[in-house]
Amino acid sequence: HFTHEEEHFARLGYPDRDAHKAEHDALANQVLEVQRKYHAGATATLSMEVMNFLKNWLIKHIQGTDKKYGPFLKEKGVA
């Protein structure tokens, strides 16, 4: 998903693409860290950590950062 979005940003010249990609990278790193903890057996605290991660991703990234590019894409005839 992130790669597809970033390809559109690059092709269309989205001005905030570097900052948006940095958020994607941070989110991916968080997922890898949760995965690492899971494989290490840290299941007791992991459920709450995953819930907080998903809540943060939904509110800050999807409802925040992602909504910012809507008008740009519409202007370019994509949305």
Side-chain angles (χ1 to χ4, degrees), residues 6 9 16-27 61:
E6 292 164 10
F9 293 165
D16 291 331
R17 73 177 188 213
D18 291 340
H20 201 101
K21 184 180 182 333
E23 277 194 40
H24 286 171
D25 293 345
L27 289 165
H61 189 76

Side-chain angles (χ1 to χ4, degrees), residues 52-72:
N52 285 332
F53 166 76
L54 292 173
K55 178 182 149 195
N56 192 34
W57 183 30
L58 176 65
I59 292 170
K60 288 181 77 182
H61 189 76
I62 295 174
Q63 292 183 336
T65 307
D66 280 351
K67 282 196 172 192
K68 291 179 183 176
Y69 66 71
F72 175 81

Side-chain angles (χ1 to χ4, degrees), residues 2 6-7 14 30 40 45 50 76 79:
F2 290 166
E6 292 164 10
E7 286 171 355
Y14 181 55
Q30 284 180 294
T45 59
V50 169
K76 296 291 183 179

Side-chain angles (χ1 to χ4, degrees), residues 30-56:
Q30 284 180 294
V31 169
L32 292 173
E33 180 62 16
V34 166
Q35 184 181 38
R36 185 196 64 75
K37 288 179 182 179
Y38 174 78
H39 288 299
T43 57
T45 59
L46 205 50
S47 292
M48 189 54 101
E49 189 173 335
V50 169
M51 290 297 289
N52 285 332
F53 166 76
L54 292 173
K55 178 182 149 195
N56 192 34

